[in-house]
Amino acid sequence: MTTVPTTSAPPGADAPAASGPRRAAELLRRGLGLIGPRHGRHGLPVQQLEALALPIGDDGVVAGVDSEGQPAVLGINRPTPYDVVLIGGLWTAQVLALRSAATGARVAVETGRPQAWMQMVHAMGGGQNGLSVYDVGRVPPQGASAGTPVLVVRDCGMRPPRGRVVSGPWQSVLTLLPYLSPVAPRLLRQARLAGIQRVSPDEAAELGRTMGLSRTEVESLPALPDGVTLWCTDRDRQYVLTQPTDAEIGLLGTPRRMD
């Protein structure tokens, strides 16, 4: 067997190309990282672009299921200001807050009844894992961004004062009203999304005039079961049944309209 002699390169000269393992070891020693696999580029002819489908518009917080049993998703985290009004029970607002935190959003609760939220705070690590509770008018700036979206839940009773922290890019505000109050029409006009749970016939008639609901929708509101919400935008209406998980039942109990 013939041995081929090797020679050292002179200082300053380019070293000969090393084998794969030796080159990887040298790059690691220099702090340049690993060498990744080499693959061909992925290409798509222009004629096939229409076949490329992306799930746009179905991301967000799962509020429940619609009348066909399909997931109903609320796109709460948005790059533009987004106001939501929920005329309903605390239970639904807490489920939405819990699920928003599970998607990675930070939740700031402004409330006059902090004891009603303490169980959630303790279950989520004492406010260190996405949910904080503040007195009315004491919510500090949240510093929302695309990487850390924020949901502000205003649980301030029948006549919530104007909030210091308002909706903005990546910061949505959900205002909870237990019943239809004198400030409700103003809040509903400002809202991009409104949720209505069981209300009295008089309240249903008033909401029908304020929101342009159909006669069938108005007549359905006084008889809505616990856990059912009529979600309304300018153009769409959808009944949604919020089905709690076992963990949510253990923490918040079963669905209920009254607190």
Side-chain angles (χ1 to χ4, degrees):
M1 181 174 67
T2 303
T3 301
V4 179
T6 60
T7 58
S8 299
D14 292 336
S19 64
R22 289 179 57 192
R23 183 163 178 262
E26 180 64 18
L27 289 176
L28 282 174
R29 186 180 65 81
R30 298 178 184 177
L32 298 180
L34 292 171
I35 300 174
R38 298 294 186 263
H39 296 294
R41 294 180 178 273
H42 297 284
L44 184 69
V46 175
Q47 295 80 4
Q48 298 182 13
L49 283 176
E50 294 184 357
L52 185 63
L54 298 176
I56 297 175
D58 61 353
D59 58 334
V61 177
V62 178
V65 295
D66 60 19
S67 57
E68 298 179 353
Q70 298 300 313
V73 179
L74 303 183
I76 291 178
N77 300 328
R78 295 170 177 259
T80 54
Y82 198 68
D83 287 283
V84 182
V85 173
L86 173 61
I87 301 174
L90 176 65
W91 184 90
T92 301
Q94 290 183 326
V95 169
L96 294 176
L98 198 63
R99 295 181 181 183
S100 296
T103 66
R106 288 188 291 108
V107 179
V109 179
E110 179 183 9
T111 181
R113 47 178 174 178
Q115 70 282 356
W117 293 85
M118 282 301 104
Q119 188 174 2
M120 283 182 60
V121 173
H122 295 322
M124 297 178 63
Q128 300 301 312
N129 292 316
L131 190 145
S132 302
V133 176
Y134 304 93
D135 292 332
V136 176
R138 297 297 182 87
V139 181
Q142 295 295 304
S145 67
T148 55
V150 173
L151 172 65
V152 178
V153 178
R154 305 200 69 215
D155 174 29
C156 305
M158 294 284 290
R159 296 173 178 266
R162 294 184 182 272
R164 292 176 53 192
V165 178
V166 297
S167 62
W170 302 110
Q171 178 167 292
S172 299
V173 175
L174 186 154
T175 301
L176 173 65
L177 297 177
Y179 301 102
L180 190 65
S181 70
V183 301
R186 173 179 60 83
L187 294 174
L188 289 170
R189 285 193 298 269
Q190 296 173 349
R192 299 275 302 279
L193 177 68
I196 308 170
Q197 296 188 317
R198 187 171 62 249
V199 293
S200 69
D202 289 342
E203 290 175 305
E206 179 63 27
L207 285 168
R209 291 188 290 269
T210 301
M211 303 179 62
L213 302 179
S214 68
R215 179 177 178 181
T216 301
E217 291 165 344
V218 170
E219 292 177 347
S220 73
L221 292 179
L224 290 181
D226 289 342
V228 175
T229 307
L230 174 61
W231 289 102
C232 309
T233 65
D234 290 339
R235 295 177 298 178
D236 299 316
R237 308 279 190 268
Q238 189 173 82
Y239 293 94
V240 174
L241 170 62
T242 301
Q243 298 176 316
T245 64
D246 291 341
E248 289 168 344
I249 291 176
L251 181 61
L252 304 174
T254 56
R256 59 190 180 277
R257 169 64 175 93
M258 304 298 292
D259 301 322

